[in-house]
Amino acid sequence: HGLAGIPHLFGIFPALAIPSTILAAGYMVSFGIGSILGMVCFSSLIGWLSSHLATTNIAVYRGLTITSALAAIVVGGFWIAS
């Protein structure tokens, strides 16, 4: 996910401008690790928030779950239609 879409341009293009192969590889590894850490932090936050809401306010949790499901269906339908 971290290298899907436009972010891969931020990973590849700057590395092409780095004159040293070792430094360019280091940049690519750093970019990859940063992408993974960003996804881990985001998913951990969402997981914590979901579990917290499920135990404290079930109505809000259900509302967010239904809203997320409907948004995924709408976006998926849009992608299929286009």
Side-chain angles (χ1 to χ4, degrees):
H1 298 292
L3 296 178
I6 200 77
H8 69 278
L9 296 176
F10 297 119
I12 299 296
F13 285 162
L16 294 174
I18 297 173
S20 166
T21 304
I22 293 173
L23 289 176
Y27 173 82
M28 295 291 291
V29 169
S30 298
F31 179 81
I33 290 171
S35 295
I36 292 168
L37 288 176
M39 290 184 287
V40 166
C41 291
F42 183 76
S43 61
S44 296
L45 177 65
I46 295 298
W48 175 83
L49 182 61
S50 295
S51 65
H52 179 71
L53 285 174
T55 58
T56 59
N57 194 340
I58 195 70
V60 173
Y61 174 74
R62 285 186 181 152
L64 286 174
T65 302
I66 291 169
T67 302
S68 298
L70 291 175
I73 291 169
V74 168
V75 169
F78 176 75
W79 283 345
I80 291 171
S82 63

